[in-house]
Amino acid sequence: MNTTWKLLSSIFVTFLKIGPITFGGGYALIPVIEREVVDRRGWLRTQEIADVFAVAGSVPGAVAVNSATYIGYRIAGIRGATAALLGILLPTCCLMIGLSIFYVQMKDNPKIEAAFLSIRVTVVALIAFAAFKIGRTAVIDSTTGSLAVIASLLLFFGNVHPVYVIAFGAAAGIAVVKIRVLLGKDFKLKEEKEVVYDYMI
């Protein structure tokens, strides 16, 4: 097996393992993806995880599936995206069919209700942890901190659709850069070593 197929197999297996634990949607998956893709495999940097979910959340579809596809593409191009997509969809599809049959039969069981209640609470903790981790890399100064606060207020109190909040973030970022250029201030982010993926070689 050559290097490319080993990489594609690794991508498929990685997301095949992630797929069955996608409780709570894509955002709850952030700590798991970060551990597998950043800490264990070294395919992406921690800072890039925030970009992954920003892009995945701004297009239609499930965030987990979009994120896997995007990460797979970043690692190994179209074939990497296909491997990641198949990996994350296969176990989830099989589990949902089985769980749907099981849940319809057992949904009134107190133990089952307690289990799902606990899962929901755990998902809240996962999302909060993911928000903290991403916040540490995304909020880098007072400007980005202010944008985060404004976006939170729009979501909590403005009843604004998340797509519009994302569009606001993009427009605000462009406006901030233009203002800093006009004022003669530096706006470059800290440069980091570029990651070279196999499909780029």
Side-chain angles (χ1 to χ4, degrees):
M1 185 181 290
N2 60 37
T3 305
T4 301
W5 281 107
K6 284 184 179 178
L7 178 61
L8 294 176
S9 299
S10 182
I11 294 171
F12 175 78
V13 171
T14 296
F15 284 97
L16 189 72
K17 292 189 296 183
I18 292 175
I21 53 176
T22 56
F23 294 102
Y27 294 109
L29 199 61
I30 294 175
V32 181
I33 286 183
E34 184 176 5
R35 187 177 62 209
E36 289 291 331
V37 174
V38 177
D39 299 335
R40 294 191 60 189
R41 307 287 183 176
W43 287 333
L44 296 179
R45 298 187 297 266
T46 300
Q47 292 81 354
E48 292 177 292
I49 294 298
D51 297 335
V52 168
F53 283 91
V55 172
S58 62
V59 296
V63 172
V65 175
N66 295 345
S67 302
T69 306
Y70 181 77
I71 291 171
Y73 181 79
R74 288 290 303 272
I75 299 168
I78 296 295
R79 289 183 291 181
T82 304
L85 180 64
L86 292 175
I88 202 164
L89 279 180
L90 183 62
T92 306
C93 183
C94 295
L95 280 173
M96 277 309 301
I97 293 173
L99 189 61
S100 298
I101 297 171
F102 173 77
Y103 186 72
V104 168
Q105 301 296 325
M106 304 292 292
K107 64 180 181 180
D108 295 326
N109 185 305
K111 292 182 180 178
I112 300 300
E113 290 182 357
F116 276 91
L117 178 61
S118 299
I119 289 173
R120 286 196 291 270
V121 173
T122 306
V123 166
V124 172
L126 286 172
I127 293 174
F129 180 71
F132 174 74
K133 295 276 286 185
I134 289 182
R136 291 175 61 188
T137 60
V139 180
I140 56 175
D141 54 22
S142 58
T143 302
T144 52
S146 300
L147 290 176
V149 171
I150 294 171
S152 300
L153 293 175
L154 290 174
L155 288 170
F156 278 107
F157 303 108
N159 196 27
V160 178
H161 194 283
V163 171
Y164 295 129
V165 176
I166 292 172
F168 160 75
I174 294 171
V176 167
V177 169
K178 287 187 175 181
I179 291 172
R180 287 185 174 179
V181 169
L182 290 174
L183 296 176
K185 295 183 177 179
D186 182 30
F187 65 89
K188 291 183 179 179
L189 299 176
K190 182 180 179 181
E191 293 185 358
E192 296 185 13
K193 185 179 180 181
E194 181 74 15
V195 177
V196 178
Y197 303 100
D198 284 8
Y199 80 99
M200 296 177 176
I201 300 174

